[in-house]
Amino acid sequence: MAVLVTGGAGYIGSHTVAALLERGESIVILDNLQQGHREAVLGGTLYEGDLRDPAILDRIFTENSIDAVIHFAANSLVGESMQLPGKYYHNNVYGTLCLLEKMQEHGVKRIVFSSTAATYGEPENVPIDEHDRTLPTNAYGETKLAMEKMMKWFDIAHGIKWISLRYFNAAGAHESGKIGEDHNPETHLIPIVLQAALGQRPHISVFGDDYATPDGTCIRDYIHVSDLADAHVLAVDKLRSGSDSAVYNLGNGQGFSVKEVIDIARQVTGRDIPAVIEARRAGDPAKLVASSQRARTELGWNPVRSKLEDIIASAWSWHLHHPNGYSK
Ligand code: UDP
């Protein structure tokens, strides 16, 4: 039996493919390579194509014995989603509908879903747990919530079991040094801070220092990408063992402000990293910190790369050795 990984050439997808390979799973990857990188796929069979193309899904499901899908393929930028919500509804929501319909048609009954803390919006409680209100403040989070709700109804109607993993802020790189974060354009805090450390950018722009947090900058819960990858493997195991559908938060349970991240990056890299305060970015909640107790208890998930210094050091090693990402 094989696992289909949609978006397996992307950042978290490629690290999950690596984790699946490490334990000998057969893997099929579907990626349109718009954001993903062919070089990031360390093994398995890559189909280059789009979720919204029914022909390629038919080919994948008939040419391979797939018993579970891990679904990453999506657009995932908060800022862009506020400018281009239609793009997010089309690729994310309609793309997921195409996938679920083909899963139903081909009798595939398990899906692990790449979701996000952005489904919560401004939290009612911190740390956030899975029972808390979901009221996204940006179109990206709204589309991910819509995708979760779609899976709920495909479960009720067709028995497709789903586990949704709501990640907080993914960061870091694989310990092999072969894969890491490479978005174009880059919008995420840690890679941008490290590009400033490398002198590829003149400074890091801090988006707002007037939030209701101790230093006025936004607080996030940073989690190592390989710890996230491990959770996907555990979720596939759980669905294979006959588990019911579920939602799990994935984070370390500790928040760091933008200013704290920059300070730790200065210590880790030993470089000067100029910072400039700018306006808030639309759609950003002030503070997102996870309670991942449910994932620990029910999935047996145990993040082992939790220290922010170590997460930033692993990202720094990737950026130092791959200053232009995957491109030569
Ligand atoms: N951020 C920032 N400058 C940047 C990029 C991000 O100040 O150049 C802030 C952003 O406003 C947010 C935090 O860093 O508060 C994390 O943003 P990121 O885009 O990495 O992840 P998100 O929380 O949007 O998933």
Side-chain angles (χ1 to χ4, degrees), residues 184-203:
N184 188 15
E186 188 54 75
T187 66
H188 293 112
L189 179 65
I190 289 177
I192 291 182
V193 167
L194 297 178
Q195 287 172 355
L198 280 174
Q200 294 174 333
R201 294 175 185 260
H203 61 262

Side-chain angles (χ1 to χ4, degrees), residues 9 14 38 57 96-97 104 166 170 189 225 244-245 247 286 317 320:
S14 63
R38 195 181 294 279
L57 288 174
T96 299
L97 174 61
Q104 179 207 341
R166 291 181 179 160
L189 179 65
V225 64
D244 212 345
S245 301
V247 175
S317 171
L320 270 179

Side-chain angles (χ1 to χ4, degrees), residues 87-208:
K87 174 176 175 179
Y88 280 68
Y89 275 86
H90 207 273
N91 192 25
N92 295 4
V93 180
Y94 175 60
T96 299
L97 174 61
C98 295
L99 175 65
L100 289 172
E101 285 185 326
K102 285 295 168 193
M103 287 177 64
Q104 179 207 341
E105 202 178 309
H106 292 272
V108 180
K109 299 282 187 189
R110 303 179 187 101
I111 180 167
V112 175
F113 178 61
S114 165
S115 189
T116 170
T119 52
Y120 294 106
E122 274 306 338
E124 292 173 287
N125 306 301
V126 177
I128 301 170
D129 81 28
E130 294 85 350
H131 296 296
D132 286 344
R133 175 191 67 195
T134 47
L135 197 61
T137 55
N138 55 64
Y140 163 62
E142 192 79 76
T143 61
K144 287 279 175 168
L145 190 59
M147 292 147 89
E148 288 188 354
K149 289 185 176 167
M150 203 189 297
M151 290 188 295
K152 174 183 128 178
W153 295 109
F154 273 72
D155 179 4
I156 291 168
H158 307 299
I160 295 178
K161 296 295 168 196
W162 55 285
I163 289 182
S164 181
L165 301 176
R166 291 181 179 160
Y167 336 131
F168 285 61
N169 287 63
H174 196 260
E175 60 187 7
S176 67
K178 291 182 184 161
I179 54 176
E181 188 163 11
D182 179 7
H183 296 112
N184 188 15
E186 188 54 75
T187 66
H188 293 112
L189 179 65
I190 289 177
I192 291 182
V193 167
L194 297 178
Q195 287 172 355
L198 280 174
Q200 294 174 333
R201 294 175 185 260
H203 61 262
I204 170 76
S205 301
V206 175
F207 296 147

Side-chain angles (χ1 to χ4, degrees), residues 42 50 53 78 126 212 218 280 304:
L42 297 182
D50 198 285
D53 170 10
V78 168
V126 177
C218 288
R280 289 183 178 198
V304 290

Side-chain angles (χ1 to χ4, degrees), residues 264-282:
I264 293 172
R266 287 178 178 134
Q267 289 160 28
V268 167
T269 62
R271 307 263 178 119
D272 182 35
I273 304 176
V276 174
I277 308 295
E278 293 187 12
R280 289 183 178 198
R281 183 174 71 177

Side-chain angles (χ1 to χ4, degrees), residues 52-73:
R52 295 161 291 186
D53 170 10
I56 198 156
L57 288 174
D58 280 333
R59 266 185 60 209
I60 289 172
F61 286 121
T62 49
E63 290 174 3
N64 304 277
S65 293
I66 308 250
D67 75 325
V69 176
I70 308 181
H71 179 32
F72 294 99

